[in-house]
Amino acid sequence: MTLLSELAPGSQAFVTDVQARTASDPVAVRLRDLGFVPGEPVKLVAYGPFGADPMLVQVGFTRFALRRSEAERVRVSSEEPSHV
Amino acid sequence: MSEATLAVLPRSIALVGNPNCGKTALFNQLTGSRQKVANYAGVTVERKEGRLVLPSGRKLRVLDLPGAYSLNATSPDEAVTRDVCLGQHPEETQPDLLLCVADATNLRLHLRFVLELKRLGRPMVLALNMVDAAKRRGIRIDREKLEQALGFPVVETVAVRRRGAADLISALDEHALTMPAVPPASAEQDLHAETRRLIASAVSMPQPTSPMDEAIDRWVLHPVWGLAILAATMLLVFQAVYAWAGPFQDAIETSLGWAGTQLAAHMPDGLLRSLLVEGVIAGTGGVLVFLPQILILFFFILVLEESGYLPRAAFLLDRFMVSTGLSGRAFIPLLSSFACAVPGIMATRSIPDPRDRLLTILVAPLMTCSARLPVYALLIGAFIPDQRVFGLFNLQGLTLFALYAAGIVSAMLVALVARRFGRRAGEQALLLEIPAWRIPNPRDVALGLRERGAIFLRRVGTIILALSVLLWFLSSFPTPPADWTRPAIEYSFAGHIGRAMEVLFAPIGFNWQICVALIPGLAAREVAVSGLAAVYAVSAGEAGVEHALATALGSQWSLATALSLLAWYVFAPQCLATLAVIRRETGSLKATLGATALLTGMAYAVALIVYRLTGLLT
């Protein structure tokens, strides 16, 4: 189990879950709305120029700029889940 | 699936969809120039309404709702969209029909929101927008299958092409309202599962993103090249604003000068002529001259926005902006503030975090707006020698650069201090979509430009006209006594007010004439120039033109006074329109007064330091 923020550039993985930091973590809720849901393929595309932050992440057909702290909420696995 | 078809046809529709789905382009296509742009009370999210006349002659009210990713709102914009869709908005009746707009190349994200909206059980139509781009990328969408699965009409549109909404218009004309069956409420997870099922059955997509976009982004988002491209773009924009606007500004000045001369030649000397020539034409003309610059800057901002470059710039600069206490998203509003803080502050609505937004609003007036330019240009022309330094730079140009840099650096300092001492109110999110590259549509750019030009002209026609007349009145009355010896303006109201203010401003080197000019400068900073022109032209008894004014100032002010006034102008929040928009956008009188006090305090302190230092050195 790795975090999305730990992926190597260009590597592909699948979302396992999004961890909420508080009971009603708005960032976690929004991440799920945007498509970070179990089984969804994600790819780390690029880093920002300063301190490799933010990160450019592809989920589904869409690319998002996520700060490290946001990407750390998403747990990923390199293996495609069998049941989706 | 059980459906209830109502006999009635819709009379009002609302466009709803994700950001970057081409919703506003479709709105422009449907309503053309029949648009009304206003604000929702309190939250001041932009409200766009237009009218669509269908081929049958039926008229539709069309509302363009702010883009939203979800009904689970995280910003004031999204809250408006949620409330209107739910029929809970206090100012808006529930639309008869929700016209969902989805980017055909981005269905995995956009269909989820469509399915979320479907749960509301309202009549709906789905517009699959940008089908042309989807076809080019080899994406095949089975429209009929999608329509069957969704249970409401699905039409294809190309919002940026002429007649690209023909199918949509005939669908709106023919279909009676259909109430789709409300599916039982289910968890968020199920929305995603349903979206995936829909896509698996009706959409075939060779690649998740466009190879062309990836190639462009490899350069544009590159850590080194990306920043170089960003710097080059900024340079081009500012070069264009200052160089291309020149001929247009000259033309405006020439024609206003001609109008003034004609009036002077054909009207008897008297109060009315004085009012028209020295009050109306000189006052509003001095501001109208900025229209070309404002339009050129907004042209670039609109093009960068429409093409998808602005979010990429935010991506590149986010970390840097965070280190100064701001967010990458603040880049767009702050860039706009170089034209004018009013649209800049309005653009902060795209910052969902309230604390980030407030801080951006606070520092936006420190960006050098184009209204400061005439003041800078006048004083630099009069006091800074036109000479080369280090054989490469022009001293006047360097001074202008220093004034811009002073604004930016102080904005960073304010943000840093605010972050150091302010309460950390939770974590701020970026979560910024990097949309596909797009060629900006001329019609959408033209409509956006017209809207902004109209806002500016309305300001010239109302506030600035009124203040020009008021200033003329203040500096013309009361008329001097029969045995007057000193310049006429010294006897006027303006002279008295200026003298009263001088006590306060003498420590920073301002004479009473400057104090007089600062008063109308409250309406718009640039009016201070015409204010100075009026004050000096009246007292010198000659028609004030910029060169004559520069000469007059050069002979009457010390260098310390000129530099002090320049420093004052970098910081002082002396623009009522900016203060009004801060009040409106923050909804807080306390925040507005706080911002005013902070900026005025900074202006006074820096002007004092500059005045004393220059006094010591010269």
Side-chain angles (χ1 to χ4, degrees):
Chain A
M1 185 76 66
T2 32
L3 299 178
L4 177 56
S5 52
E6 297 163 354
L7 275 186
S11 60
Q12 169 108 28
F14 298 88
V15 175
T16 323
D17 64 346
V18 175
Q19 294 189 302
R21 296 218 163 141
T22 56
S24 61
D25 184 356
V27 177
V29 173
R30 180 44 53 109
L31 280 168
R32 290 186 199 112
D33 280 350
L34 294 180
F36 291 89
V37 287
E40 202 66 32
V42 287
K43 194 170 110 180
L44 185 65
V45 181
Y47 290 128
F50 307 106
D53 191 20
M55 326 173 82
L56 185 61
V57 176
Q58 167 123 11
V59 60
F61 309 160
T62 322
R63 291 173 162 197
F64 291 99
L66 303 186
R67 293 206 183 117
R68 250 162 209 287
S69 59
E70 291 150 20
E72 277 164 7
R73 286 177 169 82
V74 183
R75 293 201 292 186
V76 296
S77 145
S78 56
E79 277 165 45
E80 183 162 14
S82 47
H83 64 287
V84 176
Chain B
M1 198 175 280
S2 68
E3 290 168 357
T5 303
L6 306 176
V8 290
L9 294 161
R11 281 178 310 176
S12 68
I13 63 173
L15 272 74
V16 49
N18 285 69
N20 307 308
C21 67
K23 192 170 51 62
T24 299
L26 191 61
F27 176 73
N28 287 343
Q29 168 88 268
L30 291 177
T31 62
S33 51
R34 296 176 296 274
Q35 300 184 1
K36 265 201 322 232
V37 183
N39 280 309
Y40 288 105
V43 283
T44 52
V45 172
E46 198 164 80
R47 179 187 188 279
K48 278 184 155 179
E49 193 191 284
R51 278 159 82 80
L52 164 65
V53 184
L54 294 168
S56 64
R58 209 153 48 82
K59 292 191 183 83
L60 276 179
R61 244 165 28 92
V62 186
L63 195 62
D64 185 17
L65 291 176
Y69 287 106
S70 156
L71 290 176
N72 214 325
T74 58
S75 69
D77 284 46
E78 289 191 328
V80 165
T81 299
R82 176 198 61 205
D83 292 347
V84 173
C85 289
L86 293 172
Q88 291 171 351
H89 198 277
E91 295 168 59
E92 208 79 74
T93 50
Q94 193 167 22
D96 294 336
L97 180 90
L98 293 180
L99 174 55
C100 297
V101 187
D103 175 356
T105 65
N106 203 358
L107 286 178
R108 173 64 188 86
L109 180 68
H110 291 192
L111 272 183
R112 193 209 67 89
F113 190 38
V114 173
L115 290 171
E116 190 180 0
L117 288 166
K118 187 188 165 188
R119 290 178 174 180
L120 301 178
R122 299 289 303 165
M124 278 171 61
V125 168
L126 171 63
L128 283 179
N129 200 17
M130 306 189 222
V131 282
D132 57 332
K135 279 193 188 110
R136 271 200 303 276
R137 276 178 46 190
I139 302 169
R140 284 205 309 278
I141 302 167
D142 191 333
R143 191 193 61 81
E144 282 167 22
K145 212 175 219 171
L146 209 55
E147 190 169 274
Q148 238 168 14
L150 288 171
F152 49 80
V154 176
V155 291
E156 296 185 347
T157 57
V158 183
V160 295
R161 193 185 296 155
R162 189 179 285 272
R163 305 219 8 97
D167 288 358
L168 173 64
I169 289 172
S170 48
L172 289 174
D173 220 359
E174 286 156 17
H175 285 278
L177 294 175
T178 308
M179 294 290 190
V182 184
S186 51
E188 173 68 31
Q189 197 106 342
D190 297 335
L191 272 180
H192 282 291
E194 209 181 328
T195 310
R196 277 187 205 151
R197 270 201 302 278
L198 264 180
I199 288 178
S201 73
V203 182
S204 93
M205 193 160 203
Q207 284 154 312
T209 48
S210 135
M212 169 103 111
D213 280 12
E214 289 194 25
I216 299 175
D217 279 341
R218 261 194 291 280
W219 289 93
V220 171
L221 300 180
H222 188 274
V224 177
W225 295 119
L227 289 175
I229 291 169
L230 180 65
T233 311
M234 298 292 89
L235 206 65
L236 171 77
V237 171
F238 282 94
Q239 175 65 24
V241 166
Y242 295 121
W244 299 358
F248 297 101
Q249 293 184 299
D250 291 346
I252 291 177
E253 266 180 342
T254 313
S255 43
L256 284 169
W258 179 83
T261 334
Q262 287 299 307
L263 276 178
H266 291 97
M267 279 180 76
D269 191 11
L271 269 183
L272 185 62
R273 189 179 94 177
S274 163
L275 168 66
L276 287 178
V277 176
E278 280 148 31
V280 175
I281 294 184
T284 56
V287 183
L288 206 57
V289 156
F290 291 98
L291 185 62
Q293 283 194 344
I294 289 186
L295 288 182
I296 291 176
L297 184 85
F298 272 125
F299 169 79
F300 279 103
I301 290 178
L302 284 166
V303 166
L304 292 178
E305 196 174 348
E306 296 262 318
S307 67
Y309 187 68
L310 286 191
R312 287 170 168 86
F315 169 81
L316 287 172
L317 293 176
D318 185 67
R319 181 57 190 268
F320 170 72
M321 302 284 274
V322 168
S323 72
T324 66
L326 291 161
S327 133
R329 286 178 197 253
F331 176 72
I332 299 162
L334 292 182
L335 180 69
S336 306
S337 299
F338 280 103
C340 175
V342 173
I345 289 168
M346 281 159 69
T348 60
R349 290 170 194 169
S350 62
I351 304 174
D353 183 82
R355 191 195 135 278
D356 273 358
R357 183 159 180 251
L358 190 63
L359 198 51
T360 310
I361 288 175
L362 181 64
V363 301
L366 290 171
M367 301 299 117
T368 301
C369 66
S370 57
R372 287 181 176 97
L373 258 191
V375 181
Y376 289 177
L378 175 73
L379 296 179
I380 289 175
F383 290 93
I384 308 295
D386 186 8
Q387 64 183 40
R388 296 212 161 265
V389 275
F390 310 122
L392 186 64
F393 302 104
N394 178 296
L395 190 58
Q396 293 188 330
L398 275 184
T399 310
L400 187 63
F401 176 79
L403 291 169
Y404 271 87
I408 297 170
V409 169
S410 51
M412 284 163 54
L413 288 178
V414 168
L416 265 180
V417 170
R419 197 170 75 146
R420 178 64 57 86
F421 295 104
R423 280 165 293 157
R424 290 281 289 145
E427 185 192 351
Q428 321 117 52
L430 179 66
L431 289 175
L432 178 68
E433 182 180 348
I434 305 295
W437 286 100
R438 242 157 245 162
I439 296 168
N441 179 241
R443 185 192 43 220
D444 297 326
V445 173
L447 278 172
L449 215 51
R450 195 187 69 166
E451 200 182 298
R452 282 150 171 96
I455 291 172
F456 178 75
L457 287 179
R458 215 172 300 137
R459 220 174 119 215
V460 171
T462 53
I463 306 177
I464 296 179
L465 175 65
L467 275 136
S468 302
V469 172
L470 179 68
L471 175 75
W472 170 82
F473 176 80
L474 286 177
S475 46
S476 304
F477 294 97
T479 45
D483 56 339
W484 59 296
T485 48
R486 287 171 295 151
I489 191 158
E490 293 207 37
Y491 300 97
S492 69
F493 292 123
H496 294 297
I497 298 172
R499 282 188 196 290
M501 282 168 67
E502 197 184 0
V503 185
L504 241 103
F505 286 93
I508 58 173
F510 291 7
N511 58 21
W512 66 268
Q513 287 97 332
I514 298 179
C515 295
V516 172
L518 285 181
I519 302 168
L522 275 175
R525 291 181 174 92
E526 63 269 35
V527 182
V529 171
S530 47
L532 280 174
V535 171
Y536 278 100
V538 170
S539 53
E542 65 181 68
V545 278
E546 300 236 336
H547 291 294
L549 183 58
T551 319
L553 298 186
S555 62
Q556 298 193 29
W557 291 3
S558 67
L559 178 65
T561 292
L563 293 183
S564 168
L565 184 57
L566 282 175
W568 171 267
Y569 254 77
V570 171
F571 300 98
Q574 44 166 3
C575 166
L576 289 178
T578 302
L579 296 178
V581 82
I582 292 179
R583 168 79 179 85
R584 228 175 43 190
E585 292 293 319
T586 57
S588 151
L589 189 61
K590 210 177 111 197
T592 315
L593 292 177
T596 311
L598 174 77
L599 295 170
T600 312
M602 280 168 76
Y604 199 91
V606 177
L608 185 66
I609 295 169
V610 167
Y611 183 64
R612 297 288 162 193
L613 273 182
T614 320
L616 283 177
L617 295 174
T618 52

